Amino acid sequence: MFVHNFKYSLKALFRNKTLIFWTLMFPIILGTFFKMAFSNVTSSEAFKAINFAVVEDDNFKNDEVFVTVIKELSDEDGDNRIFDTTYVENEDEAKELLVDGKIDGYLVMPDKKDDTPGVTFINNGINQTIIKNVVEEIALNEKIGNEIGETIVKDEMAKGNFNIDIDGIYEKVMEKMSDETNLLDKSANKLDYSMIEFYTLIAMTCIYGGMLSIASINNSLANISQKGKRVSVAPTRKLVTVLSSLLASYVIQLVGLALLFVYTIFALNIDYGDNIAKVILLGAVGSLAGLAMGLFVGTVFKAGENAKTGILIAITMFFCNFAGMFGITMKYITDTKMPWLTKINPVGLITDGLYALYYYNTTDRFSADIINLIILTLVLTAVSFFSIRRRRYDSI
Amino acid sequence: MSNVIEVKNLTKSYKEIKALNDLSFEVTEGEILGLLGPNGSGKSTTINCILSLLKYDEGSITVFGKDMKPDSYDIKAKLGVVFQDVAVFDELTVYENIDYFCGLYIKDKATRKKYVEEAIDLVSLSEFKKFYPKKLSGGLLRRLNIACGIAHKPKLIFLDEPTVAVDPQSRNSILEGIMKLRDMGATIVYTTHYMEEVEMICDRVIIIDKGHVLASGTTDELKRLAKIDEKIIVEANSFDSKYIEEIKSFKAVHSADYKERVLTVSYKEGADNLVKIIEYLKKNHIKYSRVYSERPTLNDVFLELTGKELRD
Ligand SMILES: Nc1ncnc2c1ncn2[C@@H]1O[C@H](COP(=O)(O)OP(=O)(O)OP(=O)(O)O)[C@@H](O)[C@H]1O
Ligand SMILES: [Mg+2]
């Protein structure tokens, strides 16, 4: 029965032109538009160094990592130029520059080493987001560096070398850091913020897959459709029909996602980083979240199939917006001002996961995203199953 | 003959309305039972309650001698349902649709193939096997709807107004098909508000109104309830009320009504009524276009029992 229902669900879904358009074609078309839009931007205005200021107080001077990296990133002759950095004595000077519009933002190092460095700016724009990302990046790399540093110190001590050569360790740390992290070679010319847009596109596609589960669930429930009534009077367990049709929609979702990955990687040259296995895992889990979203919309809202699809599209676009599909600034604002929204925004979580995979070599952030996605999926599925479980209705 | 369905004191309310009110009836093995009632009388609600799709407030329902529950899969395996609204997949062809629904009951592929073909023949859709439902006319779609519900050769079949929008010719072939199913051993519950269909195929009829059984029996038994034996219909463009009054005083006349250019004279018993009327018309030089005699219909029974027409 499972196989029978699965086969026919698959057939019915594949032949549904509207569904196939939204889940398979639309993302590819949108991706193509993105590429056209962004290739114009990048070719017309090559990346210009961002005007930036650093308050060069003792806190800053004592933070060798920041001093070195910012110097490197501001080097006019280097390949890694992001910043055109002015070093100022105190925060007031920096503020003045900022107010006069001479700089886009400035950095003040905190008193305590573990606190996050303070970045200040007036407007929210792409430059500001980059400043913020780079500073976060450096801080994170520094933390990794410190940890590596500690282990090296311990190793040295274990070997009986009590006479520690700080410079040597620093060198090693720096060396290891550039091995282990991507910061230095992913900055400047490679820090392509349009990448985020493509990541949201992948995320959107995962959630759009929910349209397929809306259609599947519609066909299985007596209180939703006539077909559901017919299926419900058959001697088949509801769980079997529901799960087999959901599996069918998941398969199509994955096909759509695979097509999009192939298209964006080979035709649009989008870089998802080196960890393809994890990218695939994220896509699979993200699609599951989309499936659950569809299940939720399909069972909780009382409306026709088209209305439900509309609702799902609206919700997805809302989430896409906060995930940075229409401007990366939105992602930054959401991340800082509404972190709760980021946690429940499946599009945001998938986007962030892809971003984390690309930029970081650690998997903390990626794992957190995956776990949040799984929690979200489970919650939505549980709520939906509450409604699916009912077998006799007050009214149909 | 044993009872296949027993419905006892079934009561079901929707939010605002009591749809079924202390409804009781049985369905005997091998019969075609007609559930006849006007729009909103509770026919579909009754079927959905029997199928365990709807919750009900009171009463009991047994099917094949057992309580019907949503997980009574052994009972469900023997049921076939054709719902009032068409329920097919737009993305599947005629053949695939029937095969899909049949496959929910029949596992064996060879048997299924045979059954599907037989169902297609029964509703005469062989020319349209590869058609998608969108390409079918309303009547053909109805036929597909029926085939989807009965292909697996169920022992007990529910047909909820399956012939709405079907032209008379296909309707006849469908009705014949239904009788064939009965002759092959199926028990059938057939709802409709077409009394002609009921008269043609039903072995027994239950007339319901406002969720309650008004009367039941064979068509002949029911017609006896109507207290009239013959109706004379006179089609005339105008009819003076003084003549109507006079006709009313004729022997055995139950009632006489002039409505929409048609005079209907009902007789408690019938003998030479038509001749007498024609003579009367001639004598008074009343112009008419047609005059004919009719046997009473179930509509008259319904009229008698409720004071309103079966069909609005
Ligand atoms: N889902 C529902 N919610 C509320 N009231 C309903 C619902 N379904 C039916 N009703 C009401 O219950 C009553 C019985 O309806 P039902 O559909 O059973 O009648 P029916 O005899 O099948 O009519 P028809 O010949 O039009 O198909 C009607 O008054 C109807 O308005
Ligand atoms: Mg009905």
Side-chain angles (χ1 to χ4, degrees):
Chain A
M1 211 49 59
F2 192 93
V3 177
H4 176 77
N5 199 57
F6 172 77
K7 254 169 48 189
Y8 269 111
S9 303
L10 207 58
K11 221 179 223 179
L13 289 175
F14 256 121
R15 287 186 194 159
N16 187 321
K17 293 198 186 71
T18 322
L19 284 180
I20 293 304
F21 172 79
W22 285 109
T23 53
L24 264 59
M25 317 277 293
F26 180 68
I28 288 180
I29 295 169
L30 198 59
T32 313
F33 277 124
F34 278 176
K35 186 70 184 181
M36 278 153 57
F38 289 125
S39 58
N40 282 343
V41 172
T42 19
S43 59
S44 66
E45 41 181 288
F47 190 82
K48 272 214 308 247
I50 298 165
N51 295 316
F52 183 53
V54 172
V55 178
E56 204 176 17
D57 52 10
D58 288 344
N59 290 340
F60 179 74
K61 283 184 200 148
N62 290 338
D63 198 317
E64 286 170 64
V65 176
F66 264 88
V67 171
T68 319
V69 175
I70 291 194
K71 194 170 149 233
E72 176 102 1
L73 295 178
S74 313
D75 182 3
E76 267 181 80
D77 302 323
D79 290 338
N80 298 333
R81 187 160 202 240
I82 300 177
F83 296 138
D84 184 351
T85 307
T86 318
Y87 294 89
V88 294
E89 301 272 308
N90 52 45
E91 196 167 349
D92 290 342
E93 261 180 69
K95 249 183 210 150
E96 211 169 295
L97 288 173
L98 185 65
V99 172
D100 292 348
K102 302 240 165 68
I103 52 170
D104 286 322
Y106 64 84
L107 168 75
V108 187
M109 290 307 284
D111 290 336
K112 267 197 270 161
K113 238 190 139 91
D114 284 345
D115 288 354
T116 20
V119 190
T120 311
F121 30 75
I122 300 177
N123 305 316
N124 273 312
I126 286 166
N127 283 355
Q128 283 77 3
T129 309
I130 292 174
I131 293 176
K132 158 143 194 306
N133 283 340
V134 170
V135 169
E136 262 184 11
E137 208 71 52
I138 301 172
L140 182 91
N141 281 273
E142 184 178 30
K143 224 169 115 198
I144 299 168
N146 285 341
E147 277 155 19
I148 298 165
E150 266 173 38
T151 48
I152 291 171
V153 173
K154 279 188 197 133
D155 284 352
E156 298 288 301
M157 280 166 67
K159 280 185 215 151
N161 291 340
F162 295 104
N163 207 353
I164 303 163
D165 166 16
I166 299 287
D167 284 345
I169 290 175
Y170 176 74
E171 299 258 293
K172 273 189 206 164
V173 167
M174 291 310 274
E175 204 176 279
K176 271 209 161 174
M177 244 174 68
S178 51
D179 282 352
E180 290 210 359
T181 69
N182 297 317
L183 181 66
L184 294 179
D185 61 284
K186 280 203 176 142
S187 53
N189 40 14
K190 278 203 186 167
L191 189 72
D192 183 357
Y193 40 87
S194 72
M195 213 71 99
I196 286 282
E197 250 84 344
F198 289 97
Y199 294 168
T200 59
L201 186 68
I202 294 285
M204 181 199 78
T205 309
C206 290
I207 307 303
Y208 265 13
M211 282 179 221
L212 298 158
S213 58
I214 290 181
S216 305
I217 201 72
N218 259 3
N219 291 337
S220 316
L221 299 184
N223 58 333
I224 296 181
S225 75
Q226 296 298 327
K227 281 171 268 180
K229 272 159 98 177
R230 196 160 246 166
V231 171
S232 303
V233 298
T236 318
R237 277 173 200 289
K238 196 181 227 169
L239 200 62
V240 173
T241 16
V242 168
L243 288 183
S244 56
S245 19
L246 286 181
L247 182 65
S249 39
Y250 192 51
V251 167
I252 298 183
Q253 241 177 316
L254 293 182
V255 169
L257 201 59
L259 285 178
L260 185 64
F261 268 122
V262 169
Y263 183 73
T264 50
I265 291 172
F266 295 104
L268 305 183
N269 295 319
I270 304 301
D271 188 354
Y272 295 98
D274 306 324
N275 206 333
I276 280 298
K278 287 216 175 68
V279 171
I280 291 172
L281 173 71
L282 186 60
V285 173
S287 297
L288 217 50
L291 195 86
M293 282 279 293
L295 206 57
F296 179 79
V297 173
T299 51
V300 170
F301 290 94
K302 277 242 172 275
E305 187 171 325
N306 288 337
K308 284 179 187 169
T309 308
I311 293 172
L312 184 76
I313 292 178
I315 296 179
T316 312
M317 290 333 273
F318 172 85
F319 281 146
C320 282
N321 176 39
F322 287 103
M325 179 178 261
F326 311 111
I328 191 174
T329 326
M330 206 62 212
K331 175 173 164 56
Y332 171 61
I333 294 175
T334 319
D335 286 354
T336 48
K337 302 262 161 64
M338 295 177 283
W340 57 270
L341 181 60
T342 309
K343 285 210 176 69
I344 61 158
N345 176 355
V347 180
L349 290 171
I350 300 166
T351 307
D352 197 70
L354 288 169
Y355 170 82
L357 280 179
Y358 182 74
Y359 280 106
Y360 302 106
N361 283 341
T362 53
T363 50
D364 292 5
R365 188 156 164 182
F366 166 79
S367 306
D369 288 332
I370 286 264
I371 287 167
N372 272 337
L373 273 173
I374 290 173
I375 292 172
L376 188 74
T377 306
L378 290 179
V379 169
L380 289 174
T381 312
V383 174
S384 312
F385 263 85
F386 227 73
S387 155
I388 292 174
R389 229 182 37 165
R390 285 187 301 153
R391 294 192 291 187
R392 267 199 246 216
Y393 304 92
D394 289 324
S395 151
I396 49 176
Chain B
M1 284 282 164
S2 58
N3 285 338
V4 173
I5 303 177
E6 282 176 17
V7 175
K8 286 202 187 93
N9 310 106
L10 189 62
T11 301
K12 155 84 193 165
S13 303
Y14 292 110
K15 276 199 191 79
E16 311 87 19
I17 194 170
K18 199 165 206 174
L20 300 181
N21 187 5
D22 199 22
L23 184 83
S24 302
F25 66 94
E26 294 92 43
V27 183
T28 344
E29 194 178 337
E31 72 174 350
I32 300 183
L33 175 85
L35 276 183
L36 184 65
N39 289 133
S41 53
K43 302 182 296 291
S44 302
T45 305
T46 307
I47 292 189
N48 288 330
C49 285
I50 297 176
L51 293 172
S52 241
L53 288 174
L54 280 177
K55 283 183 199 152
Y56 44 89
D57 315 325
E58 271 163 63
S60 68
I61 296 170
T62 59
V63 179
F64 295 114
K66 283 191 237 167
D67 277 348
M68 179 67 182
K69 291 194 227 90
D71 57 357
S72 306
Y73 298 121
D74 50 337
I75 301 179
K76 284 184 164 183
K78 294 190 249 176
L79 303 185
V81 188
V82 177
F83 289 100
Q84 184 165 1
D85 299 297
V86 173
V88 296
F89 285 85
D90 284 340
E91 300 84 11
L92 300 181
T93 64
V94 165
Y95 186 94
E96 288 167 339
N97 261 298
I98 304 173
D99 187 54
Y100 170 69
F101 288 112
C102 188
L104 297 177
Y105 298 81
I106 308 289
K107 273 213 167 121
D108 181 65
K109 279 215 176 109
T111 319
R112 196 161 85 216
K113 191 163 188 299
K114 187 169 144 265
Y115 281 12
V116 173
E117 294 289 352
E118 283 171 11
I120 289 175
D121 284 342
L122 187 81
V123 295
S124 330
L125 278 178
S126 350
E127 289 166 52
F128 304 96
K129 268 189 227 176
K130 292 231 161 69
F131 277 52
Y132 286 94
K134 283 253 153 69
K135 298 254 161 78
L136 297 177
S137 70
L140 293 176
L141 195 58
R142 285 268 156 197
R143 294 202 234 164
L144 170 61
N145 194 41
I146 295 172
C148 290
I150 52 105
H152 57 284
K153 298 201 190 300
K155 283 217 147 44
L156 172 60
I157 304 172
F158 295 86
L159 295 142
D160 196 355
E161 310 202 19
T163 57
V164 177
V166 179
D167 65 51
Q169 219 175 332
S170 343
R171 172 179 301 188
N172 279 345
S173 92
I174 288 173
L175 293 178
E176 271 158 29
I178 290 169
M179 289 192 278
K180 221 187 286 169
L181 290 171
R182 184 229 6 232
D183 297 339
M184 291 183 324
T187 308
I188 293 162
V189 177
Y190 190 91
T191 87
T192 181
H193 50 248
Y194 295 122
M195 53 218 168
E196 307 85 357
E197 290 190 352
V198 168
E199 290 189 25
M200 182 174 162
I201 66 167
C202 293
D203 302 305
R204 215 159 53 84
V205 185
I206 289 174
I207 300 183
I208 64 172
D209 187 38
K210 300 197 180 114
H212 194 75
V213 177
L214 286 181
S216 68
T218 61
T219 9
D220 287 338
E221 283 166 359
L222 287 173
K223 280 181 181 174
R224 257 172 253 145
L225 292 174
K227 297 202 194 102
I228 55 171
D229 201 37
E230 187 183 10
K231 288 197 295 182
I232 308 285
I233 318 290
V234 184
E235 292 175 12
N237 279 339
S238 70
F239 222 101
D240 204 316
S241 54
K242 82 173 182 220
Y243 297 130
I244 299 177
E245 287 311 310
E246 215 171 327
I247 290 173
K248 275 187 182 164
S249 66
F250 283 12
K251 188 174 155 259
V253 168
H254 175 262
S255 65
D257 254 327
Y258 183 68
K259 244 194 333 212
E260 287 157 14
R261 297 186 184 157
V262 177
L263 176 76
T264 312
V265 188
S266 309
Y267 288 83
K268 280 175 238 160
E269 51 204 52
D272 305 331
N273 293 327
L274 187 60
V275 182
K276 278 185 196 152
I277 284 280
I278 293 173
E279 277 171 4
Y280 180 79
L281 295 172
K282 246 188 212 163
K283 197 178 80 192
N284 293 290
H285 307 289
I286 301 166
K287 280 198 186 122
Y288 61 90
S289 49
R290 240 151 54 102
V291 56
Y292 55 91
S293 159
E294 236 184 25
R295 300 280 300 149
T297 61
L298 289 172
N299 190 37
D300 299 305
V301 181
F302 194 78
L303 193 65
E304 179 74 31
L305 293 171
T306 65
K308 60 181 187 192
E309 301 267 339
L310 191 51
R311 288 170 69 179
D312 358 61

